[in-house]
Amino acid sequence: MVAIAVVWFPKKSLCHELETGLPAADVWKVYGSLLLAELIPQVLPTIAAKVEVAGDGGVGTILHVTFCPGIPLTYQKDKFIKVDHENLVKEAVVVEGTVLDLGFLKYLMRFEIVESADKTCLIRSTLEYEVADGDTNTASLASTATLAGLAEAITNHLKAQKSAGQTS
């Protein structure tokens, strides 16, 4: 007789929403493409030193993010597992890097561009993560602060471009 042990790790999530005042199509041009990877080191220069891309921006694309000195993370590789241009949703899961070395079993980032009735949109950034049952130390490290900072920085970048009369 073979015994099978099933270990369940509860999924937890954190969410941040930012009203942009911008059209959803403009925001999705960044979030739904590789332009986001290009802009990350520019708009978050104290967090991300560089982002290298392997892929065309669709499902399976890998972003290798190298963090700046002084950040408690060294690097991470994010794999796009969902890019939904119809519903304006992108998901990436960390497949390698410091965040997993810290004890996270799963670390997934979801970006949703949600159109409002007034034709502007909000950026909903969700972090889903799993840690070993009872691992409160690792769980306490989970935060949407960087995702929130990214949403704000991209919004400010797009507004600056718009006011300068440029297109993204």
Side-chain angles (χ1 to χ4, degrees), residues 4-72:
I4 298 175
V6 177
V7 180
W8 179 69
F9 300 108
K11 178 172 47 173
K12 298 184 186 328
S13 66
L14 300 170
C15 185
H16 175 269
E17 292 185 349
L18 175 73
E19 291 283 350
T20 66
L22 296 165
D26 292 353
V27 176
W28 185 249
K29 281 181 190 175
V30 174
Y31 274 88
S33 71
L34 289 176
L35 183 55
L36 182 64
E38 181 182 320
L39 288 174
I40 288 173
Q42 293 176 38
V43 300
L44 297 176
T46 60
I47 296 174
K50 67 178 178 177
V51 178
E52 298 170 277
V53 178
D56 62 4
V59 171
T61 296
I62 303 280
L63 300 185
H64 181 162
V65 181
T66 303
F67 294 100
C68 294
I71 300 294

Side-chain angles (χ1 to χ4, degrees), residues 73-151:
L73 304 174
T74 307
Y75 81 100
Q76 72 186 41
K77 289 186 179 180
D78 304 333
K79 181 178 183 178
F80 294 168
I81 59 170
K82 181 177 189 174
V83 181
D84 183 340
H85 294 292
E86 185 176 321
N87 295 304
L88 312 183
V89 178
K90 180 183 273 184
E91 292 181 352
V93 64
V94 177
V95 294
E96 183 182 316
T98 316
V99 73
L100 299 178
D101 297 341
L102 291 172
F104 287 96
L105 305 173
K106 180 182 178 185
Y107 203 86
L108 178 138
M109 296 155 288
R110 177 180 307 110
F111 303 103
E112 298 170 86
I113 310 306
V114 182
E115 192 166 19
S116 304
D118 65 357
K119 299 298 180 196
T120 64
C121 72
L122 67 85
I123 301 170
R124 180 179 298 135
S125 306
T126 304
L127 171 62
E128 289 184 2
Y129 63 95
E130 294 176 12
V131 297
D133 195 28
D135 184 355
T136 56
N137 289 334
T138 301
S140 71
L141 300 173
S143 170
T144 59
T146 301
L147 302 180
L150 177 62

